[in-house]
Amino acid sequence: MNIGHASEKSGLPAKTIRYYEDIGLLKPDRSDNGYRDYSMSDVHKLRFLQRSRGLGFSVEECRQLLALYEDKERASSDVKSIARTKLKEIERKITELRELQHTLQHLVAHCHGDQRPDCPILESISGTADA
Amino acid sequence: MNIGHASEKSGLPAKTIRYYEDIGLLKPDRSDNGYRDYSMSDVHKLRFLQRSRGLGFSVEECRQLLALYEDKERASSDVKSIARTKLKEIERKITELRELQHTLQHLVAHCHGDQRPDCPILESISGTADA
DNA sequence: GGTAATTCTTCCAGTAACTGGAAGGTCAAG
DNA sequence: CTTGACCTTCCAGTTACTGGAAGAATTACC
């Protein structure tokens, strides 16, 4: 599969896909003509990268997450501990997104023109009533 | 409140806080000595930025979200529509995080050394069974 | 078969969002 | 009144892309 097709399937621009290859996140086969040739597995990884980058994980964290998957045959205890650390982070992110969600919902539902600058959303928007 | 204190409270490095000021995300008061002086409201905004950046929103999206809050007095229909768009995005992010969570949980629970490279996690890790 | 458009290649420069470090001013403690 | 922590600005470097040029390969059309 050429890069254009892989780009469509993964949601990542071709430029970004080539960049990910440059920094060693994946290395697709090459066809005889020199074109990159992406397998389904490559596309899965790209889609995974597209998602996890969009969720605020750094490229290095994504590299770890990919390694988790790729090294699962050995599944050593450190691999599991990384996974558990990431799971904690994911839970935190979900919690924070829920709070952001509630804040915006409140904004849409209750703050319609008659709110003063001291709206309680100001207090809740940061997730800390005190700070 | 000086920048060091605001940094502690918001979780953002002082460098980043100054950068956010440079690009016009907030403008704290200045004390007589020229030091930046952060209000509680400023710290709330910083904490909000810290969170939403970590959740994969771009600085420009964060600017919009902050504006949502700051312009809530007028609460025009476009403000609400932006909020609704962001709510959709937040829901998507939550869904994706849940899927990532399940994948990692599966990895920790079931893939312990006896998995072949064609582990079904490969299929599910990208969130698309087909692709 | 010819040729024009599309898609691919590499390379190099630019942007976004920080991040580190130098050079120097301010301030609280001893 | 000096030492050390914290602040200032400025400029350079890093990360993670992103755009564009120049050229080769494929596909689409006559």
Side-chain angles (χ1 to χ4, degrees), chain A residues 8-54:
Chain A
E8 261 180 60
K9 296 231 174 196
S10 65
L12 287 169
K15 281 269 179 187
T16 304
I17 296 177
R18 290 195 197 96
Y19 171 73
Y20 286 165
E21 184 178 349
D22 281 354
I23 63 173
L25 283 182
L26 41 48
K27 51 168 189 34
D29 285 347
R30 293 283 177 143
S31 307
D32 291 347
N33 58 16
Y35 287 15
R36 290 168 179 83
D37 184 22
Y38 294 89
S39 67
M40 275 306 176
S41 168
D42 290 328
V43 172
H44 283 129
K45 287 178 196 173
L46 289 170
R47 178 114 188 84
F48 173 75
L49 287 167
Q50 191 272 331
R51 285 191 158 214
S52 38
R53 288 289 297 122

Side-chain angles (χ1 to χ4, degrees), chain B residues 42-56:
Chain B
D42 289 328
V43 172
H44 283 129
K45 285 179 198 172
L46 289 170
R47 178 115 188 82
F48 173 75
L49 287 166
Q50 192 272 332
R51 286 192 156 211
S52 38
R53 288 290 295 123
L55 294 169

